Amino acid sequence: MVEETIFSKIIRKEIPADIVYEDESVLAFRDISPQAPVHLLIIPKKLIPTVNDVDAEDEMTLGHMFVVAAQLAKEHDVDKNGYRLTVNCNSEGGQEVFHLHMHLMGGRRMQRMG
Ligand code: AMP
């Protein structure tokens, strides 16, 4: 069974979030606990818990998330210096919210991946 997370409430505007982008399939908002000067979360409106749950019908939405990420990176002025896009999966991947999301982090030099 697929359980909703706090991100479903954000999509339905039942709890506040600092929304920076929205269209019919994707929402983006500022991370509540930013790990970089720019730290945005880009999520599909469809509840896909983890990358393991992705299927072929999600290809358009997931590809669109990259288009939105590139647009947001420009708008937040991190495109030239660079930024990191991260999708965590399950416990060893560091996933805490089980609604697939892409972190966009920029505005500082990122550490090596570890
Ligand atoms: P992850 O560890 O990849 O699952 O990332 C979940 C992210 O969601 C964390 O960076 C949290 O700070 C962020 N987060 C959790 N609750 C909220 C919220 N209500 N609004 C914005 N960001 C949130």
Side-chain angles (χ1 to χ4, degrees):
M1 192 188 124
V2 176
E3 285 194 25
E4 283 194 354
T5 73
I6 195 155
F7 289 178
S8 290
K9 292 190 166 66
I10 290 174
I11 291 166
R12 293 196 297 263
K13 316 277 168 58
E14 290 171 5
I15 63 165
D18 190 351
I19 292 172
V20 294
Y21 178 86
E22 178 166 20
D23 64 26
E24 65 285 345
S25 62
V26 167
L27 187 73
F29 49 94
R30 290 185 196 277
D31 196 293
I32 204 165
S33 175
Q35 304 299 307
V38 175
H39 187 170
L40 308 177
L41 299 174
I42 302 164
I43 70 171
K45 287 189 171 175
K46 176 183 174 186
L47 203 184
I48 305 168
T50 80
V51 173
N52 292 332
D53 303 299
V54 165
D55 61 40
E57 74 175 21
D58 302 319
E59 281 181 6
M60 287 286 284
T61 301
L62 297 175
H64 184 52
M65 286 166 63
F66 275 89
V67 175
V68 172
Q71 178 183 322
L72 288 172
K74 279 196 195 77
E75 286 173 10
H76 293 264
D77 204 26
V78 294
D79 56 319
K80 295 288 188 306
N81 284 345
Y83 54 96
R84 179 171 287 169
L85 299 175
T86 306
V87 181
N88 298 325
C89 181
N90 278 343
S91 60
E92 291 197 1
Q95 185 175 7
E96 291 178 352
V97 177
F98 288 85
H99 183 131
L100 189 149
H101 50 280
M102 179 187 277
H103 295 258
L104 189 166
M105 284 178 281
R108 67 165 170 82
R109 180 166 292 280
M110 295 294 136
Q111 310 283 310
R112 284 176 64 92
M113 301 281 280

